[in-house]
Amino acid sequence: MFSWFCYLFILIIIFFILLKSKFFKKSNLPTKYLLLLFLIKLFASFMLYIIYTKYYSHTRMQTDIFKYYDDGYILYNALKHTPLDFFKMLLPFYDNDPYLKQKYFEKMNFWIKPYKVDIINENKTLIRLNALIFIFSNNNYFTHVLIFIFLAFLGQYALFLFFKDHFPETNQYILSFPVFLMPSVLIWTSGILKESILFFGLGFSLYYLNSFIKSKKTKYLFLLIFFLFVTAISKFYVFLLLLPTIITFSISEFYKLSIKKTILIYSFIISLFLFLFFTSKYFTNIDLVDLVIQKQKGFIKFTEKQFTGSKIEIPILENNIFSFLINTPQALLNVVFRPTIFEFHNLMAFFSALENTFIFLLIIFTIIFLKKQKIKNIHLLCVTFSLLLFSLIGLVTPVLGALVRYKIPALPFFIILLISFLNFEKYLFNIKKLTLTWKK
C-alpha cells in the first residue's frame, strides 16, 4: 500500500509541474490540453502493460517492459548488502570487473548482450536508472513506469517546442499530433524502454541546440552536450545519425546561409559522414560497416531461435557500398509502409498497419495538394534524419514489429515534413466542393 502512496505522491508532483512550470507555458498550448496529453500517455502505459501481460504469451524474461526493471533490482539489492558494489556498478569504469561480473552481472539477463556488435551497450543505462529509482519506488513497477513516461513526455514537449519555432505557420494542435499522439510513438515511449529515455535526450538536444543558436549562451551549449550524451547512451546509432544532421543544421542557422548553400553543406557533410562510415576500418579499430552487417546477422539469428510471426525476408548485406546502396530503396519501403493492412497478425500489428495506411494516405494527399513554398533548413534536417534512420533500420531489421518500434525517433520529423507541405486550404476547399456536388 505504501508503494502506491509513493506513486500518487510522484504523480501529484508531475501534475504540479505541468500546471505551474514556466517551461510548460512556452508553447501557448492550454494547460488542460497538456494534462490531457499526459493522461493519454499514462493510459497508454497501462495498456502496454496489459498487452504484454495478458495478450502475449511471453515469459517475463522475454518481455521487453520488464527486463531492465528486473535487472535493475539485482543491482539495487547490492545497496542493501554491499553499498560499495552498488556505487561501483553505477559507473562504467567497473563494467569489466571480474568480481562484479561473477556476483552480479552474470545473474542479470540483459547486462551482457548475447551478440557483441554494439559500440555502446545501452542496456546498462536503463538497468542503472532503474536501480536508482528502486531507492524510492518501494519496488512498485508502476512508479518506475511513471518516471520513464514523464521523462519521455518532457523530451517530447521539448521536441514540440523545437518544431513550433521552425514551423510557426502550422497549427499547434496539428503539430502536436506526430510528436505525442502517433500510435507507435505514444505506445513505445510509455514504458520502461530505451525509447522513453531516447526521446528525453533527443527532444532536449534539439531544444537546447535551438536555444544556443539563438542566444549563443555557453550554458545552452553545455546542456546540448549533456542531452546529446543522454541520446548516445540510450541509442547510440540514433546519436550517430543525428550528429551530422544537426552539425549541418547549425552551420546554416549560425551563418544564415541561403538554401542553395545549405543544400551544398548538407550534401558535403552527409557525403563525408558516409565516406567515414564506409572507410572506418582503415583509420580506426572499428569497422562500422561490419558492425551493421553483424547486427543484421544477430537479428536473423534471433528470429531463427525465437518464433516470430512478423519475420520478413531482407537482402543479406555485404561489406561494400554497392550492397548498401542497392538495398536501401527496399529498406525505405519496408520501414515506411510495412506492416500493411494485409500483413498484421496480432493486435499491435493491426494498429501499426492502420498507422502505416495513414502515412501512405498522407503522402498521397501531400503530393496531390502540395503547398508551394520555399525549402527551408528545417525541411532538410527532417528529410535527412528520416532518410538516414529509416535506411539503417530497414537494412538490418527482419521483423515488422521491430521496424515499427525502431523508426519512431524519426517518425515525428517525417510526418511533420509531410504536413508542412500539405496545402490544407486547398484540401478543405476540394472536400467542400465535392460535398456540394454530391448534394446536388
Side-chain angles (χ1 to χ4, degrees):
M1 182 61 73
F2 177 72
S3 66
W4 283 105
F5 280 118
C6 292
Y7 178 90
L8 289 172
F9 179 69
I10 294 170
L11 186 60
I12 290 169
I13 291 174
I14 290 171
F15 284 149
F16 180 80
I17 293 170
L18 291 172
L19 290 168
K20 300 298 182 180
S21 173
K22 291 181 180 179
F23 178 61
F24 286 104
K25 307 295 182 186
K26 292 185 177 184
S27 67
N28 296 324
L29 286 172
T31 304
K32 290 180 180 178
Y33 181 66
L34 290 174
L35 286 172
L36 176 62
L37 288 176
F38 185 75
L39 287 172
I40 291 171
K41 195 166 192 65
L42 193 62
F43 175 76
S45 71
F46 285 103
M47 289 304 298
L48 185 64
Y49 176 82
I50 291 169
I51 289 168
Y52 267 108
T53 55
K54 306 297 182 185
Y55 186 76
Y56 289 146
S57 57
H58 299 320
T59 63
R60 187 175 176 99
M61 195 182 83
Q62 294 174 310
T63 305
D64 287 349
I65 61 171
F66 293 123
K67 59 187 187 182
Y68 306 120
Y69 173 84
D70 291 341
D71 281 0
Y73 185 70
I74 294 172
L75 199 159
Y76 164 71
N77 267 331
L79 182 63
K80 300 176 184 177
H81 308 292
T82 319
L84 183 60
D85 289 354
F86 173 80
F87 290 108
K88 280 184 175 181
M89 287 188 288
L90 291 178
L91 302 172
F93 315 113
Y94 299 95
D95 284 356
N96 298 316
D97 186 291
Y99 162 75
L100 295 176
K101 183 178 180 181
Q102 183 180 10
K103 190 171 182 180
Y104 303 102
F105 301 154
E106 290 182 350
K107 294 179 181 177
M108 299 179 190
N109 294 311
F110 297 97
W111 182 274
I112 302 169
K113 286 190 174 183
Y115 307 109
K116 297 179 181 179
V117 295
D118 295 310
I119 298 172
I120 292 177
N121 183 353
E122 304 99 342
N123 291 359
K124 297 174 183 178
T125 303
L126 274 75
I127 293 168
R128 286 173 170 134
L129 180 56
N130 274 286
L132 289 170
I133 298 173
F134 268 112
I135 295 171
F136 57 85
S137 71
N138 203 32
N139 300 358
N140 187 334
Y141 169 81
F142 292 101
T143 299
H144 291 244
V145 174
L146 186 60
I147 298 297
F148 269 76
I149 66 170
F150 184 56
L151 291 175
F153 187 81
L154 286 169
Q156 288 171 282
Y157 181 73
L159 184 61
F160 168 78
L161 291 177
F162 172 77
F163 284 132
K164 174 180 174 290
D165 192 57
H166 290 279
F167 294 101
E169 70 285 354
T170 305
N171 181 282
Q172 284 197 94
Y173 293 98
I174 294 175
L175 207 57
S176 69
F177 176 77
V179 178
F180 292 101
L181 298 174
M182 281 296 287
S184 58
V185 175
L186 175 63
I187 198 74
W188 294 118
T189 59
S190 298
I192 304 175
L193 299 166
K194 291 178 185 177
E195 286 76 12
S196 298
I197 306 305
L198 173 62
F199 266 82
F200 177 61
L202 176 64
F204 277 107
S205 293
L206 291 170
Y207 174 77
Y208 284 117
L209 172 68
N210 213 36
S211 301
F212 177 64
I213 289 170
K214 284 182 173 182
S215 67
K216 312 296 190 295
K217 290 182 179 178
T218 309
K219 67 175 183 179
Y220 293 130
L221 177 60
F222 285 119
L223 286 166
L224 167 61
I225 293 169
F226 171 76
F227 282 104
L228 282 173
F229 173 74
V230 172
T231 305
I233 62 173
S234 55
K235 283 207 172 183
F236 189 66
Y237 69 88
V238 175
F239 163 76
L240 285 180
L241 298 179
L242 179 69
L243 204 55
T245 311
I246 63 172
I247 288 172
T248 313
F249 178 82
S250 302
I251 292 171
S252 178
E253 291 292 308
F254 264 119
Y255 296 102
K256 308 295 182 184
L257 299 179
S258 66
I259 193 61
K260 289 183 179 179
K261 290 180 180 178
T262 300
I263 291 172
L264 288 174
I265 293 292
Y266 268 94
S267 301
F268 173 75
I269 291 183
I270 299 303
S271 297
L272 178 62
F273 169 77
L274 293 174
F275 172 78
L276 295 174
F277 170 75
F278 284 106
T279 61
S280 62
K281 64 181 178 182
Y282 298 111
F283 53 86
T284 70
N285 294 326
I286 302 171
D287 185 348
L288 292 174
V289 177
D290 188 61
L291 278 178
V292 172
I293 292 170
Q294 294 306 316
K295 190 73 173 179
Q296 185 196 57
K297 288 180 179 177
F299 261 119
I300 293 170
K301 285 181 181 178
F302 174 79
T303 59
E304 289 171 351
K305 285 185 177 181
Q306 295 191 23
F307 171 77
T308 171
S310 60
K311 181 182 177 181
I312 59 173
E313 296 298 325
I314 59 173
I316 303 299
L317 293 172
E318 299 175 8
N319 199 328
N320 62 73
I321 188 172
F322 302 105
S323 177
F324 280 73
L325 290 175
I326 291 169
N327 294 311
T328 293
Q330 182 181 336
L332 289 171
L333 289 173
N334 284 344
V335 171
V336 176
F337 299 119
R338 298 182 72 179
T340 67
I341 54 174
F342 306 107
E343 292 180 305
F344 70 89
H345 62 283
N346 59 36
L347 185 63
M348 292 286 277
F350 172 70
F351 287 114
S352 299
L354 289 180
E355 179 179 85
N356 288 338
T357 303
F358 165 77
I359 292 170
F360 174 76
L361 292 174
L362 181 60
I363 292 171
I364 297 299
F365 283 130
T366 302
I367 293 170
I368 296 172
F369 303 107
L370 186 65
K371 183 195 297 183
K372 293 182 180 179
Q373 61 172 313
K374 291 182 179 179
I375 303 294
K376 297 188 291 186
N377 190 14
I378 186 64
H379 295 135
L380 297 175
L381 179 144
C382 288
V383 72
T384 304
F385 182 55
S386 299
L387 284 175
L388 287 174
L389 188 61
F390 288 173
S391 298
L392 179 62
I393 292 165
L395 287 169
V396 303
T397 312
V399 181
L400 291 177
L403 283 178
V404 171
R405 179 173 165 185
Y406 296 159
K407 75 180 179 184
I408 68 165
L411 196 57
F413 295 80
F414 183 63
I415 299 299
I416 287 173
L417 176 69
L418 292 173
I419 289 173
S420 70
F421 282 97
L422 177 59
N423 191 331
F424 282 97
E425 291 181 4
K426 185 178 178 182
Y427 170 70
L428 293 173
F429 174 77
N430 278 272
I431 292 293
K432 186 177 180 181
K433 186 178 178 182
L434 187 65
T435 305
L436 291 172
T437 305
W438 179 262
K439 285 181 179 179
K440 288 180 182 179

